[in-house]
Amino acid sequence: MTKIDLLLEQLLKQDVATAVISDPVTINYLTGFANDPHERYMFLFLMAGKEPLLFLPALDLARAKASLSFPVVGYQDAENPWDKLKAILPQPTSTKVAVEFDHLNVTRFKGLESVFTAAFVNLTPLIQQMRLIKSADEINKMLIAGEWADKAVQIGFDAISLDKTETDIIALIEFELKKQGISKMSFDTMVLTGTNAANPHGIPGTNRLESNALLLFDLGVETLGYTSDMTRTVALGQPDSFKKEIYHLCLEAQLAAQDMIKPGVTASEVDAAARQIIEKAGYGDYFNHRLGHGLGMDVHEFPSIMAGNDIEIQEGMCFSVEPGIYIPGKVGVRIEDCGYVTKTGFETFTKTPKDLLYFEG
């Protein structure tokens, strides 16, 4: 049974016979066809008892037809896509149509309302559940993405020099990866020096690397349709004892959380394993984000590993473990690995050492 068949089977149990997929990543997950329509519209229509239909910009039509065995329809930029859809789509056989609430913007939602005379129900939770448990093949692809992330951060380590800026290091990492055939990062690479790392979502700039400070790398690589995500914080020169204390506290928290992970515990319990260590040391206010997020074809997926989320950890789930301590004007540390849940524990996709590494500065 295909993923599309499984999805329709679940929808029919809810008296829903039609689904509209708008997220390109979900379309890729269900069909194997990867495409970014940018600002244009791309929809996968699933209808019980009928073949799927992919609707997309005409400039992507030939590639889609070569990749898919079911009908594909394109539209020209000058055409009204909603009028064309009304002309080619049958009305649903039930009173409900499932759409991805978490992806649709208002324009797309209103456009689909003009096509279907039916009530819309949220498809997102069902898609999240389908993607939650990764297959052995998916995990293998994520292991490869993790190996590339390890290579990427090593390129960054090798480039460390006081005469370079944060963006110099980023440029070197991504240039070297492109030469090796990696065309896409999972997200914008971050290299943050000194107090710039005290912002969890710091913005790299022309800051020269600081001596006797910590240096944070946060990056990921996309390969074979799957992503990686890791963070390492290293020392440049000889940071003071306070900075080293914060680093080792963060590492203790991360290792405690990883040791907690196994089937049957909850996401909130994993978060607490790290958070209580940081709180006990008096820095709880400076760990101001969830412990982790799901990972797969998207770099941020369901579920969140955080307080209040009592979802039970299951074998095959993939997520990050990334405690951080961010003290404005003083220091920022984050240590992150993503991994997959086994029958007995947690295996990481990234293997770069986590003992505090020192570089000349």
Side-chain angles (χ1 to χ4, degrees):
M1 187 177 284
T2 68
K3 292 174 183 174
I4 288 176
D5 292 333
L6 287 170
L7 178 58
L8 283 170
E9 182 181 77
Q10 292 300 311
L11 286 171
L12 286 170
K13 293 177 182 178
Q14 305 171 30
D15 191 32
V16 179
T18 300
V20 183
I21 315 298
S22 55
D23 185 345
V25 177
T26 310
I27 291 172
N28 185 10
Y29 175 77
L30 292 172
T31 70
F33 176 66
N35 184 59
D36 182 357
H38 301 287
E39 77 282 3
R40 298 175 172 90
Y41 304 128
M42 180 171 71
F43 299 107
L44 176 66
F45 295 94
L46 306 179
M47 299 154 283
K50 297 182 174 64
E51 284 190 290
L53 172 71
L54 183 66
F55 182 78
L56 79 173
L59 72 169
D60 299 319
L61 185 62
R63 194 164 58 86
K65 284 186 173 181
S67 300
L68 299 170
S69 60
F70 54 78
V72 180
V73 175
Y75 73 94
Q76 299 288 342
D77 285 346
E79 289 184 285
N80 183 313
W82 312 115
D83 287 345
K84 189 161 188 174
L85 282 171
K86 280 186 276 190
I88 64 174
L89 284 176
Q91 282 299 312
T93 56
S94 66
T95 59
K96 295 179 285 189
V97 172
V99 298
E100 293 178 284
F101 279 19
D102 280 17
H103 181 261
L104 284 178
N105 61 25
V106 176
T107 300
R108 286 170 168 79
F109 190 86
K110 290 296 184 182
L112 290 173
E113 278 190 327
S114 74
V115 174
F116 293 107
T117 55
F120 289 152
V121 297
N122 190 6
L123 180 61
T124 297
L126 183 52
I127 296 295
Q128 288 176 335
Q129 286 298 322
M130 285 186 69
R131 291 172 59 180
L132 178 63
I133 306 301
K134 270 57 177 184
S135 67
D137 178 64
E138 289 178 297
I139 288 172
N140 185 60
K141 289 174 179 176
M142 295 169 74
L143 282 165
I144 294 170
E147 289 175 4
W148 278 105
D150 283 326
K151 292 176 183 178
V153 81
Q154 186 61 53
I155 293 167
F157 291 170
D158 292 343
I160 290 174
S161 170
L162 291 177
D163 65 356
K164 289 190 175 68
T165 66
E166 294 165 333
T167 50
D168 286 340
I169 304 291
I170 292 169
L172 285 166
I173 292 171
E174 297 189 1
F175 177 62
E176 287 300 321
L177 288 177
K178 285 185 185 299
K179 289 198 296 184
Q180 296 181 54
I182 298 297
S183 61
K184 188 175 182 181
M185 306 301 288
S186 301
F187 54 93
D188 290 342
T189 302
M190 287 198 289
V191 175
L192 305 172
T193 187
T195 57
N196 198 24
N199 182 338
H201 282 171
I203 299 174
T206 56
N207 312 298
R208 291 196 180 277
L209 303 193
E210 294 180 34
S211 183
N212 302 322
L214 298 179
L215 178 64
L216 185 150
F217 292 78
D218 188 356
L219 55 80
V221 173
E222 182 176 318
T223 58
L224 303 172
Y226 285 79
T227 59
S228 56
D229 185 4
M230 70 179 297
T231 307
R232 291 293 185 271
T233 304
V234 300
L236 190 52
Q238 288 296 324
D240 61 39
S241 59
F242 173 69
K243 294 182 178 69
K244 288 187 279 189
E245 173 195 346
I246 296 300
Y247 180 88
H248 290 296
L249 182 62
C250 193
L251 178 58
E252 181 185 356
Q254 200 224 20
L255 294 176
Q258 288 185 186
D259 287 345
M260 166 69 71
I261 298 167
K262 61 181 178 181
V265 303
T266 66
S268 59
E269 288 173 330
V270 176
D271 180 277
R275 198 168 301 276
Q276 64 190 7
I277 289 171
I278 294 172
E279 289 177 345
K280 185 177 179 181
Y283 298 104
D285 289 344
Y286 302 107
F287 178 15
N288 54 11
H289 56 73
R290 63 191 175 184
L291 178 68
H293 57 81
L295 183 87
M297 297 182 82
D298 280 314
V299 74
H300 282 186
E301 291 191 358
F302 175 81
S304 289
I305 309 300
M306 65 181 184
N309 185 4
D310 291 327
I311 186 172
E312 194 171 284
I313 301 300
Q314 302 172 61
E315 183 181 356
M317 287 174 60
C318 299
F319 51 82
S320 69
V321 179
E322 50 179 301
I325 302 173
Y326 316 93
I327 304 175
K330 293 185 177 180
V331 65
V333 174
R334 183 168 59 257
I335 304 169
E336 173 188 15
D337 291 288
C338 294
Y340 60 99
V341 181
T342 68
K343 292 182 186 300
T344 57
F346 187 70
E347 293 290 334
T348 60
F349 296 122
T350 39
K351 309 298 182 185
T352 299
K354 288 180 284 195
D355 292 334
L356 184 56
L357 301 177
Y358 288 83
F359 295 86
E360 291 185 8

